[in-house]
Amino acid sequence: GISLRKGFAWRGRMELYRQSSVGIALSDALDELVTAQQLTPAMEDKIKAQFDISVAKILKAELKNKVTFKAQCKSFNKLESIHRYTFNNVTIKVEGTTLRANGRTKLVACDINAV
């Protein structure tokens, strides 16, 4: 079941996944169902909350690749367990593959123990 009793801050942390392409597509589909009165807004909220929980669990269990990066940190902000960074000139290495991003890059992360 879904427990929303953990508070607003916990839900806000988990909602980071809703900005992914899959999360946006899910939100659009649910909005259409609510508009067509095939789903209640409360049901939509429960589905989105379950999506947030499921994505976090899958990422925690399945992602094992080592990622390293080098960059110039321009800003950092931490609110509860959410970390927001802004970097310039980022170089990312994922298992032998190197990616470079010129200009500004933003990174948002949350503590694994908060998931």
Side-chain angles (χ1 to χ4, degrees):
I2 300 169
S3 173
L4 299 178
R5 288 183 233 145
K6 295 190 180 208
F8 175 77
W10 179 82
R11 286 194 311 261
R13 203 173 319 150
M14 300 297 289
E15 289 174 3
L16 292 171
Y17 305 120
R18 293 188 191 175
Q19 298 306 310
S20 67
S21 56
V22 173
I24 292 168
L26 174 65
S27 184
D28 290 346
L30 293 174
D31 288 345
E32 286 180 22
L33 291 171
V34 169
T35 300
Q37 297 182 345
Q38 295 178 339
L39 199 66
T40 67
M43 291 169 70
E44 176 186 27
D45 290 343
K46 285 185 179 184
I47 292 168
K48 286 180 178 179
Q50 185 59 54
F51 171 78
D52 298 335
I53 292 166
S54 297
V55 170
K57 285 182 181 178
I58 290 168
L59 291 175
K60 186 175 180 179
E62 299 296 325
L63 292 182
K64 305 295 182 203
N65 293 349
K66 182 178 178 180
V67 176
T68 59
F69 69 94
K70 182 178 178 179
Q72 299 169 337
C73 186
K74 290 299 179 184
S75 66
F76 167 75
N77 180 287
K78 180 181 180 207
L79 179 61
E80 294 186 4
S81 296
I82 299 175
H83 308 266
R84 290 183 172 90
Y85 302 88
T86 302
F87 299 107
N88 283 342
N89 304 319
V90 177
T91 300
I92 302 170
K93 293 183 181 179
V94 182
E95 295 195 0
T97 302
T98 301
L99 307 166
R100 287 186 177 79
N102 295 324
R104 188 170 63 171
T105 302
K106 292 184 180 182
L107 173 71
V108 178
C110 69
D111 291 337
I112 190 117
N113 295 326
V115 175

